[in-house]
Amino acid sequence: MAALGWLTPRRRSATARSVLAGEASAEAARKSTQDLPDTAQGEEPEFPVHGDDRAAAFFDLDNTVMQGAALFHFGRGLYKRKFFETRDLARFAWQQAWFRLAGIEDPEHMQDARDSALSIVKGHRVSELKSIGEEIYDEYMAERIWPGTRALAQAHLDAGQKVWLVTAAPVEIAQVIARRLGLTGALGTVAESIGGVYTGKLVGEPLHGPAKAEAVRALAAAEGLDLSRCAAYSDSHNDIPMLSLVGHPYAINPDAKLRKHARELEWRLRDYRTGRKAAKVGIPAAAGVGAVAGGTAAAIALHRRRR
């Protein structure tokens, strides 16, 4: 995680922090690159345009590419490796459950989750977390990749375009997932490290909302991309700033607000979930919900018994 903590002065504006976070994430993302194979999307015969090297695709991660929240699965893996105690797991699980079930991202919950994650990794080596990330991907994440979204990403790769993950998850986790899926790279929240050791601070702010749009804008400028020819995919209304940047926005497994917005603007929509509740509320279906809900319930129950 080249970034988890506040590096900016308190009085710096939110816009300035978003720009800093975006630029830091874009710089980190450009350091990793690759490719893979699968299927192409058939509904749009002329898109993605084959050989258009000024076009690229940007994919949100949580509930767009993967069922559930990557940070929650990463937390499960760290807990298994005794990075933190049961009471910390209960708090962390509750924060994730609130986000998934309420369908909103409360600023206080987000800051608490961020601070929890920073305190957990502080003092650990970046190389250690990267290695653990590889193991956690195999344990908890690989089976939760949406085949439909992966096929969309593959269509862009097959057309000779670059494909980037754009997520508030730590950039190291995002890079592991991108590499395992054969994508070009990843933009993610950058945690500050000195001498290869996490300081417990962020570079800028979490890559969320407007910061995602800034990261995409910065990467597009660095890569010489034409955003009007690019595509972006997300499940959340919080990513409307990113989706609005590109000429080809897609709502994937959308929450209610994004679904409404997408219909009003005639954006393309894909829903790979099953069950009316999942489609309505915008949370992971079937196994995704079971894993999160089960883990959360167990953690909270243990926490209550200890009090």
Side-chain angles (χ1 to χ4, degrees):
M1 303 175 187
L4 276 167
W6 293 112
L7 183 77
T8 53
R10 286 185 178 178
R11 297 189 178 278
R12 180 171 293 181
S13 69
T15 299
R17 293 198 303 269
S18 294
V19 171
L20 178 58
E23 290 177 348
S25 184
E27 181 181 353
R30 295 190 71 220
K31 294 177 181 178
S32 65
T33 306
Q34 276 188 21
D35 275 11
L36 182 92
D38 215 331
T39 42
Q41 178 188 354
E43 199 171 281
E44 284 182 341
E46 296 183 1
F47 183 80
V49 179
H50 193 278
D52 186 357
D53 60 4
R54 296 200 63 201
F58 303 95
F59 285 79
D60 169 56
L61 177 58
D62 294 349
N63 209 37
T64 301
V65 170
M66 176 192 300
Q67 299 176 45
L71 191 57
F72 173 71
H73 299 311
F74 189 63
R76 292 174 67 193
L78 292 182
Y79 173 72
K80 177 181 177 181
R81 290 161 177 80
K82 304 186 184 305
F83 270 65
F84 53 94
E85 299 178 6
T86 302
R87 65 174 179 270
D88 299 309
L89 177 65
R91 185 178 74 250
F92 188 67
W94 171 247
Q95 292 160 353
Q96 295 304 312
W98 171 269
F99 166 60
R100 284 293 138 200
L101 297 176
I104 58 175
E105 293 164 330
D106 180 86
E108 291 186 13
H109 281 238
M110 288 184 64
Q111 181 168 340
D112 195 16
R114 182 203 73 203
D115 293 343
S116 297
L118 289 170
S119 65
I120 289 169
V121 302
K122 182 179 180 179
H124 287 276
R125 299 199 65 80
V126 175
S127 57
E128 176 188 11
L129 269 291
K130 285 183 176 180
S131 176
I132 290 173
E134 296 282 351
E135 298 171 4
I136 292 175
Y137 177 84
D138 290 328
E139 292 170 1
Y140 300 114
M141 300 179 181
E143 65 183 12
R144 291 180 169 85
I145 302 300
W146 292 108
T149 310
R150 185 171 184 176
L152 290 174
Q154 190 59 46
H156 288 278
L157 293 171
D158 290 343
Q161 297 175 6
K162 293 182 177 180
V163 177
W164 304 84
L165 287 182
V166 188
T167 174
V171 68
E172 288 80 8
I173 300 174
Q175 288 174 346
V176 167
I177 297 169
R179 186 169 52 75
R180 290 300 193 92
L181 295 178
L183 308 183
T184 307
L187 296 150
T189 295
V190 180
E192 182 186 70
S193 62
I194 297 177
V197 177
Y198 292 117
T199 65
K201 298 179 180 180
L202 287 182
V203 176
E205 63 180 18
L207 201 70
H208 174 263
K212 279 190 179 182
E214 292 296 339
V216 169
R217 197 192 307 275
L219 183 61
E223 294 278 314
L225 302 173
D226 181 348
L227 285 171
S228 69
R229 288 144 70 171
C230 292
Y233 302 78
S234 178
D235 73 300
S236 173
H237 69 280
N238 293 298
D239 287 338
I240 287 176
M242 177 182 74
L243 294 168
S244 299
L245 276 182
V246 301
H248 302 275
Y250 282 76
I252 304 293
N253 305 326
D255 61 29
K257 289 184 179 179
L258 178 57
R259 183 181 294 272
K260 182 176 183 292
H261 189 84
R263 284 175 172 166
E264 289 174 350
L265 297 184
E266 297 184 346
W267 290 355
R268 292 176 178 82
L269 188 150
R270 301 283 186 277
D271 203 323
Y272 302 117
R273 297 165 298 186
T274 58
R276 297 188 61 154
K277 184 176 180 181
K280 181 179 179 181
V281 181
I283 59 177
V289 170
V292 174
T296 300
I300 293 174
L302 277 170
H303 181 55
R304 285 175 175 167
R305 280 202 296 270
R306 284 175 159 236
R307 294 177 65 181

